[in-house]
Amino acid sequence: MKKKIAVLAVMLLAASAALFAVEFKAVVGQQTSASLEFTQTTPNSDVRTQFLFNIDAELDMDFSEGHGMLVKVNPFSEGSSVEFGLGVGYAYQDWISNSTSLIVGVGPKFVFGSGGVGFGLFATVDFDFHVSSSMFVRVGTGVNFDLGQFGDDNFGKCLNLMIPLPHLGFGWQF
């Protein structure tokens, strides 16, 4: 119950912060990733590879002078189960030229699925190429660290390192 309240509090914080944001960017795109899962068990270690193709969405909020937050939503299918990823973190945006901006983000992420609630960390680096005053194309990559599921005895012992291949998205600025 405490975990559900904590997740709800984070979502409410993100929603309330959005009311004070100066600039919004909404992006929908594909995220293809390759992952390596490292499991440390006694006496052996195990390494497993995986390749995923997902659709994701992101909302970036710029509060002032490039500082803001981002909310990442990523439904995906792994095996026979459908899971839902939610990340909320800090974002920094800087203009490289009149039509190109750089966005760097970092924060925690939660994965909701039939097996429970998982926890991890993410970092992203994205370039936005503006084709009009309100529309842009986003290209970027990053890294995700999945630490496991809450309540699992192996939490923190199984590290899943996922490096998204360069992804492509279409976005609108408002």
Side-chain angles (χ1 to χ4, degrees):
M1 184 67 176
K2 290 179 184 179
K3 295 173 198 166
K4 290 180 183 178
I5 292 172
V7 170
L8 182 61
V10 169
M11 292 173 63
L12 288 174
L13 176 66
S16 64
L19 296 175
F20 301 105
V22 176
E23 179 182 292
F24 291 94
K25 285 186 173 181
V27 183
V28 176
Q30 62 79 24
Q31 183 179 31
T32 305
S33 58
S35 68
L36 289 174
E37 182 175 359
F38 300 97
T39 307
Q40 180 66 42
T41 57
T42 308
N44 297 326
S45 295
D46 185 31
V47 177
R48 182 176 63 128
T49 60
Q50 189 174 18
F51 186 77
L52 300 171
F53 179 79
N54 302 323
I55 301 296
D56 67 341
E58 184 174 317
L59 177 65
D60 300 327
M61 296 167 268
D62 186 3
F63 299 123
S64 67
E65 299 178 7
H67 299 281
M69 69 182 291
L70 61 88
V71 178
K72 298 173 68 70
V73 177
N74 182 249
F76 61 94
S77 175
E78 188 171 308
S80 62
S81 68
V82 175
E83 300 185 7
F84 179 80
L86 174 68
V88 178
Y90 171 78
Y92 179 75
Q93 174 180 314
D94 195 13
W95 287 90
I96 297 174
S97 71
N98 290 338
S99 62
T100 306
S101 62
L102 166 72
I103 297 178
V104 178
V106 64
K109 75 172 196 158
F110 300 91
V111 177
F112 303 93
S114 60
V117 178
F119 177 75
L121 303 169
F122 71 89
T124 61
V125 176
D126 298 312
F127 293 94
D128 292 345
F129 300 99
H130 295 262
V131 294
S132 72
S133 62
S134 63
M135 189 174 168
F136 59 90
V137 175
R138 176 169 286 179
V139 177
T141 189
V143 65
N144 294 319
F145 295 101
D146 290 330
L147 300 174
Q149 292 184 348
F150 290 114
D152 188 359
D153 291 338
N154 289 328
F155 184 78
K157 296 178 184 173
C158 178
L159 175 66
N160 186 339
L161 173 64
M162 185 177 358
I163 301 174
L165 302 173
H167 60 266
L168 178 66
F170 297 96
W172 296 267
Q173 181 173 330
F174 48 97

